[in-house]
Amino acid sequence: MSVDAVQTALGTEHAALWTYGMVSAFLGNQAAAVAEGANAHRARRDATERWLRDKSATPNPPAAAYLPPAPVSDGPSALAALVAVEQDTCAAWRGVLERTDDAALRTTALEALTTAAVRATRWRKAAGTTPASITLPGVASG
Amino acid sequence: MISESVSRRRVLFAVAAAPLAVACTTEPPAPPPPDPLSALAAQARADAALAQTLTAVPAAAEIAKARETHARLLQAEVDRERPPLSSTAPPAPTAPPTPPDPLAALRTALDDAVRDASAVVAKLPAYRAGLVGSVAAGCASLREVLA
Protein backbone atom coordinates (compact mmCIF):
# COMPACT_ATOMS: atom_id res chain seq x y z
CA MET A 1 0.00 0.00 0.00
CA SER A 2 2.68 2.48 0.95
CA VAL A 3 4.76 1.28 -2.04
CA ASP A 4 2.02 2.47 -4.42
CA ALA A 5 1.88 5.86 -2.67
CA VAL A 6 5.67 6.17 -2.85
CA GLN A 7 5.59 5.29 -6.57
CA THR A 8 3.07 8.12 -7.05
CA ALA A 9 5.37 10.47 -5.14
CA LEU A 10 8.30 9.33 -7.29
CA GLY A 11 6.21 10.18 -10.36
CA THR A 12 5.73 13.76 -9.12
CA GLU A 13 9.46 14.02 -8.36
CA HIS A 14 10.23 12.97 -11.96
CA ALA A 15 7.71 15.55 -13.21
CA ALA A 16 9.15 18.26 -10.95
CA LEU A 17 12.69 17.61 -12.13
CA TRP A 18 11.57 17.70 -15.77
CA THR A 19 9.64 20.96 -15.17
CA TYR A 20 12.57 22.68 -13.45
CA GLY A 21 14.73 21.80 -16.45
CA MET A 22 12.11 23.05 -18.89
CA VAL A 23 11.46 26.42 -17.19
CA SER A 24 15.09 27.31 -16.53
CA ALA A 25 15.33 29.05 -19.92
CA PHE A 26 12.55 31.49 -18.88
CA LEU A 27 13.82 32.24 -15.37
CA GLY A 28 17.40 33.34 -15.98
CA ASN A 29 17.04 36.02 -13.30
CA GLN A 30 16.23 33.34 -10.71
CA ALA A 31 18.77 30.76 -11.83
CA ALA A 32 20.03 30.09 -8.30
CA ALA A 33 16.57 29.34 -6.90
CA VAL A 34 15.72 27.18 -9.92
CA ALA A 35 18.95 25.21 -9.49
CA GLU A 36 18.25 24.80 -5.77
CA GLY A 37 14.78 23.42 -6.45
CA ALA A 38 16.05 21.09 -9.15
CA ASN A 39 18.79 19.77 -6.85
CA ALA A 40 16.30 19.17 -4.04
CA HIS A 41 14.01 17.18 -6.36
CA ARG A 42 16.95 15.24 -7.81
CA ALA A 43 18.09 14.23 -4.31
CA ARG A 44 14.52 13.32 -3.35
CA ARG A 45 14.08 11.26 -6.53
CA ASP A 46 17.29 9.34 -5.87
CA ALA A 47 16.38 8.67 -2.23
CA THR A 48 12.87 7.57 -3.25
CA GLU A 49 14.22 5.18 -5.87
CA ARG A 50 16.58 3.70 -3.27
CA TRP A 51 13.69 3.25 -0.81
CA LEU A 52 11.66 1.40 -3.44
CA ARG A 53 14.56 -0.87 -4.39
CA ASP A 54 15.08 -1.67 -0.70
CA LYS A 55 11.44 -2.83 -0.65
CA SER A 56 12.13 -5.05 -3.70
CA ALA A 57 9.98 -2.78 -5.88
CA THR A 58 11.06 -1.51 -9.29
CA PRO A 59 10.98 2.32 -9.31
CA ASN A 60 8.71 3.64 -12.05
CA PRO A 61 10.78 5.33 -14.78
CA PRO A 62 10.18 8.96 -15.76
CA ALA A 63 7.88 9.77 -18.66
CA ALA A 64 9.43 11.14 -21.86
CA ALA A 65 7.74 14.50 -21.21
CA TYR A 66 5.16 16.06 -18.90
CA LEU A 67 2.31 18.38 -19.71
CA PRO A 68 2.17 21.52 -17.52
CA PRO A 69 -1.38 22.72 -16.73
CA ALA A 70 -0.81 25.69 -19.05
CA PRO A 71 1.69 26.22 -21.88
CA VAL A 72 4.99 27.72 -20.75
CA SER A 73 6.20 30.55 -22.93
CA ASP A 74 7.51 33.27 -20.61
CA GLY A 75 8.45 34.09 -17.01
CA PRO A 76 4.96 34.20 -15.47
CA SER A 77 3.85 30.96 -17.13
CA ALA A 78 7.12 29.34 -16.04
CA LEU A 79 6.43 30.36 -12.43
CA ALA A 80 2.88 28.98 -12.71
CA ALA A 81 4.25 25.64 -13.92
CA LEU A 82 6.65 25.50 -10.95
CA VAL A 83 3.85 26.30 -8.47
CA ALA A 84 1.68 23.59 -10.02
CA VAL A 85 4.37 20.92 -9.92
CA GLU A 86 5.33 21.76 -6.31
CA GLN A 87 1.66 21.53 -5.27
CA ASP A 88 1.38 18.15 -7.02
CA THR A 89 4.44 17.06 -5.07
CA CYS A 90 2.80 18.18 -1.82
CA ALA A 91 -0.32 16.14 -2.58
CA ALA A 92 1.67 13.02 -3.41
CA TRP A 93 3.75 13.15 -0.22
CA ARG A 94 0.70 13.86 1.91
CA GLY A 95 -0.71 10.69 0.33
CA VAL A 96 2.35 8.80 1.59
CA LEU A 97 1.85 10.24 5.11
CA GLU A 98 -1.68 8.88 5.14
CA ARG A 99 -0.63 5.40 4.03
CA THR A 100 2.31 4.44 6.22
CA ASP A 101 3.02 3.69 9.87
CA ASP A 102 6.75 3.44 9.16
CA ALA A 103 8.37 6.21 11.22
CA ALA A 104 11.30 6.79 8.86
CA LEU A 105 9.04 7.00 5.81
CA ARG A 106 6.71 9.38 7.69
CA THR A 107 9.66 11.65 8.47
CA THR A 108 10.76 11.61 4.82
CA ALA A 109 7.24 12.28 3.56
CA LEU A 110 6.71 15.17 5.98
CA GLU A 111 10.03 16.74 5.01
CA ALA A 112 9.20 16.38 1.31
CA LEU A 113 5.73 17.88 1.87
CA THR A 114 7.08 20.79 3.91
CA THR A 115 9.98 21.72 1.61
CA ALA A 116 7.74 21.53 -1.48
CA ALA A 117 5.20 23.79 0.26
CA VAL A 118 7.93 26.33 1.06
CA ARG A 119 9.18 26.30 -2.56
CA ALA A 120 5.63 26.64 -3.88
CA THR A 121 5.16 29.64 -1.57
CA ARG A 122 8.43 31.17 -2.79
CA TRP A 123 7.35 30.85 -6.44
CA ARG A 124 3.91 32.24 -5.65
CA LYS A 125 5.60 35.21 -3.96
CA ALA A 126 7.84 35.68 -7.03
CA ALA A 127 4.74 35.59 -9.26
CA GLY A 128 2.92 38.12 -7.06
CA THR A 129 0.12 35.67 -6.27
CA THR A 130 -2.03 36.60 -3.25
CA PRO A 131 -2.18 34.98 -0.86
CA ALA A 132 1.32 33.65 -1.39
CA SER A 133 0.90 31.08 1.36
CA ILE A 134 -0.87 27.74 1.00
CA THR A 135 -3.10 27.05 3.99
CA LEU A 136 -3.14 23.25 3.66
CA PRO A 137 -0.43 22.05 1.28
CA GLY A 138 -1.30 18.71 -0.25
CA VAL A 139 -5.05 19.32 -0.17
CA ALA A 140 -6.63 20.13 -3.53
CA SER A 141 -8.56 23.12 -2.17
CA GLY A 142 -5.66 24.28 0.03
CA MET B 1 -12.49 -38.30 46.46
CA ILE B 2 -15.05 -35.97 48.05
CA SER B 3 -12.54 -33.82 49.77
CA GLU B 4 -10.59 -33.64 46.55
CA SER B 5 -13.64 -32.43 44.56
CA VAL B 6 -14.44 -29.79 47.19
CA SER B 7 -10.97 -28.48 47.15
CA ARG B 8 -11.03 -28.30 43.37
CA ARG B 9 -14.28 -26.35 43.55
CA ARG B 10 -12.76 -24.01 46.07
CA VAL B 11 -9.76 -23.56 43.89
CA LEU B 12 -11.94 -22.81 40.89
CA PHE B 13 -14.02 -20.38 42.91
CA ALA B 14 -10.95 -18.64 44.19
CA VAL B 15 -9.57 -18.36 40.69
CA ALA B 16 -12.84 -17.01 39.37
CA ALA B 17 -13.26 -14.54 42.23
CA ALA B 18 -9.73 -13.19 42.22
CA PRO B 19 -10.13 -10.81 39.27
CA LEU B 20 -13.44 -9.67 40.76
CA ALA B 21 -11.71 -8.77 44.00
CA VAL B 22 -9.00 -6.98 42.05
CA ALA B 23 -11.61 -5.15 40.00
CA CYS B 24 -13.40 -4.04 43.16
CA THR B 25 -10.31 -2.73 44.89
CA THR B 26 -8.29 -1.11 42.09
CA GLU B 27 -8.59 2.56 41.30
CA PRO B 28 -10.87 3.53 38.43
CA PRO B 29 -8.90 3.78 35.17
CA ALA B 30 -7.11 7.08 34.65
CA PRO B 31 -8.79 9.43 32.17
CA PRO B 32 -7.34 9.05 28.67
CA PRO B 33 -4.37 11.30 27.95
CA PRO B 34 -5.25 14.59 26.29
CA ASP B 35 -5.59 14.51 22.53
CA PRO B 36 -2.33 15.90 21.04
CA LEU B 37 -4.39 17.65 18.35
CA SER B 38 -6.14 19.64 21.05
CA ALA B 39 -2.88 21.42 21.94
CA LEU B 40 -2.20 22.08 18.24
CA ALA B 41 -5.69 23.57 17.84
CA ALA B 42 -5.14 25.85 20.86
CA GLN B 43 -1.78 26.91 19.42
CA ALA B 44 -3.45 27.73 16.09
CA ARG B 45 -6.13 29.81 17.83
CA ALA B 46 -3.46 31.72 19.78
CA ASP B 47 -1.46 32.39 16.58
CA ALA B 48 -4.58 33.67 14.83
CA ALA B 49 -5.28 35.98 17.77
CA LEU B 50 -1.68 37.24 17.72
CA ALA B 51 -1.75 37.84 13.95
CA GLN B 52 -4.95 39.85 14.30
CA THR B 53 -3.13 42.38 16.47
CA LEU B 54 -0.60 43.05 13.69
CA THR B 55 -2.74 45.21 11.48
CA ALA B 56 0.33 46.99 10.09
CA VAL B 57 1.80 43.83 8.58
CA PRO B 58 0.16 43.09 5.21
CA ALA B 59 0.59 39.30 5.54
CA ALA B 60 -0.92 39.24 9.04
CA ALA B 61 -4.51 38.96 7.80
CA GLU B 62 -3.53 36.02 5.60
CA ILE B 63 -1.78 34.34 8.55
CA ALA B 64 -4.72 34.91 10.88
CA LYS B 65 -7.11 33.39 8.33
CA ALA B 66 -4.91 30.36 7.69
CA ARG B 67 -4.35 29.66 11.38
CA GLU B 68 -8.11 29.97 12.03
CA THR B 69 -8.66 27.33 9.34
CA HIS B 70 -6.04 25.09 10.99
CA ALA B 71 -7.70 25.54 14.39
CA ARG B 72 -11.14 24.71 13.00
CA LEU B 73 -10.00 21.52 11.23
CA LEU B 74 -7.90 20.29 14.17
CA GLN B 75 -10.71 20.97 16.65
CA ALA B 76 -13.19 19.18 14.36
CA GLU B 77 -10.95 16.11 14.37
CA VAL B 78 -10.58 16.26 18.18
CA ASP B 79 -14.36 16.50 18.59
CA ARG B 80 -15.00 13.73 16.06
CA GLU B 81 -12.79 11.29 17.93
CA ARG B 82 -14.03 12.27 21.39
CA PRO B 83 -17.33 14.10 21.12
CA PRO B 84 -17.40 16.89 23.70
CA LEU B 85 -19.76 16.26 26.67
CA SER B 86 -21.42 19.62 26.20
CA SER B 87 -21.86 21.60 23.06
CA THR B 88 -19.93 24.55 24.42
CA ALA B 89 -17.30 25.87 22.07
CA PRO B 90 -13.71 25.80 23.31
CA PRO B 91 -12.93 28.88 25.34
CA ALA B 92 -11.93 31.80 23.21
CA PRO B 93 -8.24 32.51 23.64
CA THR B 94 -7.69 35.22 26.18
CA ALA B 95 -6.29 38.26 24.43
CA PRO B 96 -2.54 37.89 24.85
CA PRO B 97 -0.61 40.93 26.01
CA THR B 98 0.86 42.57 22.93
CA PRO B 99 4.52 41.54 22.80
CA PRO B 100 7.13 44.30 22.43
CA ASP B 101 8.01 43.07 18.92
CA PRO B 102 4.86 41.44 17.54
CA LEU B 103 6.40 40.55 14.17
CA ALA B 104 9.27 38.67 15.82
CA ALA B 105 6.76 37.00 18.15
CA LEU B 106 4.71 35.86 15.15
CA ARG B 107 7.79 34.44 13.44
CA THR B 108 8.71 32.54 16.60
CA ALA B 109 5.13 31.31 16.99
CA LEU B 110 5.11 29.94 13.43
CA ASP B 111 8.49 28.27 13.92
CA ASP B 112 7.09 26.64 17.07
CA ALA B 113 3.96 25.58 15.20
CA VAL B 114 6.00 23.88 12.45
CA ARG B 115 8.13 22.12 15.06
CA ASP B 116 5.28 21.00 17.33
CA ALA B 117 3.04 19.75 14.51
CA SER B 118 5.98 17.92 12.91
CA ALA B 119 6.83 16.24 16.22
CA VAL B 120 3.24 15.01 16.60
CA VAL B 121 3.00 13.57 13.05
CA ALA B 122 5.33 10.66 13.84
CA LYS B 123 3.11 9.38 16.67
CA LEU B 124 -0.33 9.69 15.04
CA PRO B 125 -2.43 7.03 13.37
CA ALA B 126 -2.08 7.28 9.59
CA TYR B 127 -5.54 8.79 9.01
CA ARG B 128 -4.58 11.81 11.16
CA ALA B 129 -1.00 12.13 9.92
CA GLY B 130 -2.09 13.69 6.63
CA LEU B 131 -4.04 16.51 8.28
CA VAL B 132 -1.33 17.36 10.80
CA GLY B 133 1.35 17.07 8.11
CA SER B 134 -0.53 19.59 5.98
CA VAL B 135 -0.87 21.90 9.00
CA ALA B 136 2.91 21.70 9.61
CA ALA B 137 3.63 22.41 5.94
CA GLY B 138 1.05 25.20 5.96
CA CYS B 139 2.83 26.86 8.89
CA ALA B 140 6.15 26.52 7.04
CA SER B 141 4.46 28.22 4.08
CA LEU B 142 3.22 31.07 6.31
CA ARG B 143 6.70 31.41 7.77
CA GLU B 144 8.07 31.75 4.22
CA VAL B 145 5.65 34.61 3.58
CA LEU B 146 7.15 36.46 6.56
CA ALA B 147 10.74 35.60 5.56
Side-chain angles (χ1 to χ4, degrees), chain A residues 99-120:
Chain A
R99 285 171 186 81
T100 185
D101 290 322
D102 178 300
L105 182 57
R106 280 252 188 112
T107 306
T108 299
L110 178 62
E111 192 185 283
L113 165 59
T114 305
T115 52
V118 169
R119 279 191 300 272

mmCIF file of all heavy atoms in Angstrom, chain A residues 99-120:
data_model
loop_
_atom_site.group_PDB
_atom_site.id
_atom_site.type_symbol
_atom_site.label_atom_id
_atom_site.label_comp_id
_atom_site.label_asym_id
_atom_site.label_seq_id
_atom_site.Cartn_x
_atom_site.Cartn_y
_atom_site.Cartn_z
ATOM 1 N N ARG A 99 -0.598 6.826 4.353
ATOM 2 C CA ARG A 99 -0.625 5.397 4.032
ATOM 3 C C ARG A 99 0.528 4.621 4.639
ATOM 4 O O ARG A 99 0.811 3.507 4.204
ATOM 5 C CB ARG A 99 -0.623 5.210 2.510
ATOM 6 C CG ARG A 99 -1.969 5.526 1.891
ATOM 7 C CD ARG A 99 -1.896 5.548 0.379
ATOM 8 N NE ARG A 99 -3.153 5.978 -0.206
ATOM 9 C CZ ARG A 99 -3.543 7.242 -0.314
ATOM 10 N NH1 ARG A 99 -2.768 8.215 0.122
ATOM 11 N NH2 ARG A 99 -4.703 7.537 -0.858
ATOM 12 N N THR A 100 1.210 5.200 5.611
ATOM 13 C CA THR A 100 2.306 4.441 6.218
ATOM 14 C C THR A 100 2.345 4.649 7.723
ATOM 15 O O THR A 100 2.005 5.724 8.218
ATOM 16 C CB THR A 100 3.667 4.837 5.611
ATOM 17 O OG1 THR A 100 4.657 3.989 6.164
ATOM 18 C CG2 THR A 100 4.021 6.290 5.888
ATOM 19 N N ASP A 101 2.746 3.585 8.434
ATOM 20 C CA ASP A 101 3.018 3.688 9.866
ATOM 21 C C ASP A 101 4.522 3.604 10.120
ATOM 22 O O ASP A 101 4.960 3.599 11.261
ATOM 23 C CB ASP A 101 2.297 2.562 10.625
ATOM 24 C CG ASP A 101 0.788 2.782 10.624
ATOM 25 O OD1 ASP A 101 0.360 3.941 10.730
ATOM 26 O OD2 ASP A 101 0.043 1.791 10.500
ATOM 27 N N ASP A 102 5.292 3.533 9.051
ATOM 28 C CA ASP A 102 6.748 3.444 9.162
ATOM 29 C C ASP A 102 7.296 4.831 9.541
ATOM 30 O O ASP A 102 7.105 5.797 8.800
ATOM 31 C CB ASP A 102 7.301 2.965 7.804
ATOM 32 C CG ASP A 102 8.818 2.877 7.787
ATOM 33 O OD1 ASP A 102 9.490 3.912 8.004
ATOM 34 O OD2 ASP A 102 9.321 1.785 7.539
ATOM 35 N N ALA A 103 7.952 4.902 10.697
ATOM 36 C CA ALA A 103 8.367 6.210 11.223
ATOM 37 C C ALA A 103 9.352 6.917 10.286
ATOM 38 O O ALA A 103 9.237 8.123 10.054
ATOM 39 C CB ALA A 103 8.987 6.043 12.606
ATOM 40 N N ALA A 104 10.300 6.164 9.734
ATOM 41 C CA ALA A 104 11.300 6.790 8.862
ATOM 42 C C ALA A 104 10.646 7.327 7.593
ATOM 43 O O ALA A 104 10.954 8.438 7.135
ATOM 44 C CB ALA A 104 12.389 5.782 8.518
ATOM 45 N N LEU A 105 9.719 6.549 7.035
ATOM 46 C CA LEU A 105 9.038 7.003 5.813
ATOM 47 C C LEU A 105 8.149 8.209 6.101
ATOM 48 O O LEU A 105 8.062 9.140 5.299
ATOM 49 C CB LEU A 105 8.221 5.851 5.204
ATOM 50 C CG LEU A 105 7.505 6.178 3.891
ATOM 51 C CD1 LEU A 105 8.484 6.649 2.820
ATOM 52 C CD2 LEU A 105 6.721 4.965 3.388
ATOM 53 N N ARG A 106 7.507 8.215 7.291
ATOM 54 C CA ARG A 106 6.712 9.383 7.694
ATOM 55 C C ARG A 106 7.576 10.635 7.732
ATOM 56 O O ARG A 106 7.180 11.696 7.252
ATOM 57 C CB ARG A 106 6.137 9.169 9.099
ATOM 58 C CG ARG A 106 4.922 8.319 9.135
ATOM 59 C CD ARG A 106 3.691 9.133 9.442
ATOM 60 N NE ARG A 106 2.605 8.187 9.635
ATOM 61 C CZ ARG A 106 2.014 7.982 10.786
ATOM 62 N NH1 ARG A 106 2.369 8.692 11.829
ATOM 63 N NH2 ARG A 106 1.067 7.093 10.880
ATOM 64 N N THR A 107 8.757 10.502 8.345
ATOM 65 C CA THR A 107 9.663 11.651 8.465
ATOM 66 C C THR A 107 10.043 12.167 7.085
ATOM 67 O O THR A 107 10.015 13.371 6.824
ATOM 68 C CB THR A 107 10.921 11.237 9.243
ATOM 69 O OG1 THR A 107 10.503 10.673 10.492
ATOM 70 C CG2 THR A 107 11.834 12.407 9.493
ATOM 71 N N THR A 108 10.398 11.234 6.185
ATOM 72 C CA THR A 108 10.763 11.613 4.823
ATOM 73 C C THR A 108 9.607 12.311 4.124
ATOM 74 O O THR A 108 9.782 13.358 3.489
ATOM 75 C CB THR A 108 11.140 10.343 4.026
ATOM 76 O OG1 THR A 108 12.256 9.732 4.663
ATOM 77 C CG2 THR A 108 11.483 10.671 2.590
ATOM 78 N N ALA A 109 8.412 11.732 4.246
ATOM 79 C CA ALA A 109 7.242 12.279 3.557
ATOM 80 C C ALA A 109 6.912 13.672 4.084
ATOM 81 O O ALA A 109 6.590 14.586 3.300
ATOM 82 C CB ALA A 109 6.042 11.338 3.732
ATOM 83 N N LEU A 110 7.010 13.858 5.399
ATOM 84 C CA LEU A 110 6.711 15.170 5.983
ATOM 85 C C LEU A 110 7.722 16.211 5.511
ATOM 86 O O LEU A 110 7.359 17.337 5.173
ATOM 87 C CB LEU A 110 6.724 15.076 7.515
ATOM 88 C CG LEU A 110 6.478 16.399 8.241
ATOM 89 C CD1 LEU A 110 5.098 16.953 7.916
ATOM 90 C CD2 LEU A 110 6.642 16.229 9.740
ATOM 91 N N GLU A 111 8.986 15.813 5.465
ATOM 92 C CA GLU A 111 10.027 16.738 5.011
ATOM 93 C C GLU A 111 9.799 17.111 3.543
ATOM 94 O O GLU A 111 9.912 18.284 3.162
ATOM 95 C CB GLU A 111 11.383 16.063 5.196
ATOM 96 C CG GLU A 111 12.562 16.981 5.048
ATOM 97 C CD GLU A 111 13.860 16.183 5.118
ATOM 98 O OE1 GLU A 111 14.247 15.813 6.229
ATOM 99 O OE2 GLU A 111 14.453 15.921 4.056
ATOM 100 N N ALA A 112 9.454 16.113 2.727
ATOM 101 C CA ALA A 112 9.202 16.379 1.306
ATOM 102 C C ALA A 112 7.993 17.295 1.137
ATOM 103 O O ALA A 112 8.013 18.227 0.324
ATOM 104 C CB ALA A 112 8.982 15.058 0.565
ATOM 105 N N LEU A 113 6.939 17.044 1.923
ATOM 106 C CA LEU A 113 5.727 17.877 1.867
ATOM 107 C C LEU A 113 6.048 19.310 2.285
ATOM 108 O O LEU A 113 5.654 20.281 1.618
ATOM 109 C CB LEU A 113 4.659 17.250 2.792
ATOM 110 C CG LEU A 113 3.443 18.076 3.181
ATOM 111 C CD1 LEU A 113 2.655 18.510 1.956
ATOM 112 C CD2 LEU A 113 2.525 17.270 4.103
ATOM 113 N N THR A 114 6.789 19.462 3.378
ATOM 114 C CA THR A 114 7.080 20.795 3.912
ATOM 115 C C THR A 114 7.980 21.591 2.971
ATOM 116 O O THR A 114 7.711 22.765 2.684
ATOM 117 C CB THR A 114 7.736 20.666 5.306
ATOM 118 O OG1 THR A 114 6.883 19.881 6.137
ATOM 119 C CG2 THR A 114 7.946 22.017 5.939
ATOM 120 N N THR A 115 9.053 20.963 2.465
ATOM 121 C CA THR A 115 9.975 21.717 1.610
ATOM 122 C C THR A 115 9.304 22.081 0.284
ATOM 123 O O THR A 115 9.543 23.171 -0.250
ATOM 124 C CB THR A 115 11.278 20.926 1.355
ATOM 125 O OG1 THR A 115 10.942 19.621 0.886
ATOM 126 C CG2 THR A 115 12.098 20.791 2.626
ATOM 127 N N ALA A 116 8.447 21.199 -0.232
ATOM 128 C CA ALA A 116 7.737 21.525 -1.477
ATOM 129 C C ALA A 116 6.773 22.684 -1.232
ATOM 130 O O ALA A 116 6.622 23.569 -2.088
ATOM 131 C CB ALA A 116 6.994 20.296 -2.004
ATOM 132 N N ALA A 117 6.135 22.698 -0.054
ATOM 133 C CA ALA A 117 5.205 23.789 0.262
ATOM 134 C C ALA A 117 5.950 25.121 0.352
ATOM 135 O O ALA A 117 5.454 26.152 -0.112
ATOM 136 C CB ALA A 117 4.493 23.492 1.587
ATOM 137 N N VAL A 118 7.145 25.094 0.932
ATOM 138 C CA VAL A 118 7.933 26.325 1.056
ATOM 139 C C VAL A 118 8.360 26.810 -0.333
ATOM 140 O O VAL A 118 8.272 28.007 -0.639
ATOM 141 C CB VAL A 118 9.149 26.090 1.981
ATOM 142 C CG1 VAL A 118 10.124 27.259 1.898
ATOM 143 C CG2 VAL A 118 8.690 25.886 3.425
ATOM 144 N N ARG A 119 8.787 25.878 -1.196
ATOM 145 C CA ARG A 119 9.182 26.296 -2.561
ATOM 146 C C ARG A 119 7.978 26.827 -3.334
ATOM 147 O O ARG A 119 8.076 27.833 -4.040
ATOM 148 C CB ARG A 119 9.829 25.128 -3.310
ATOM 149 C CG ARG A 119 11.298 24.908 -2.973
ATOM 150 C CD ARG A 119 11.940 23.921 -3.939
ATOM 151 N NE ARG A 119 11.282 22.626 -3.883
ATOM 152 C CZ ARG A 119 11.619 21.641 -3.042
ATOM 153 N NH1 ARG A 119 12.628 21.799 -2.223
ATOM 154 N NH2 ARG A 119 10.957 20.511 -3.028
ATOM 155 N N ALA A 120 6.836 26.160 -3.184
ATOM 156 C CA ALA A 120 5.627 26.636 -3.876
ATOM 157 C C ALA A 120 5.304 28.061 -3.427
ATOM 158 O O ALA A 120 4.950 28.924 -4.238
ATOM 159 C CB ALA A 120 4.454 25.702 -3.595
#
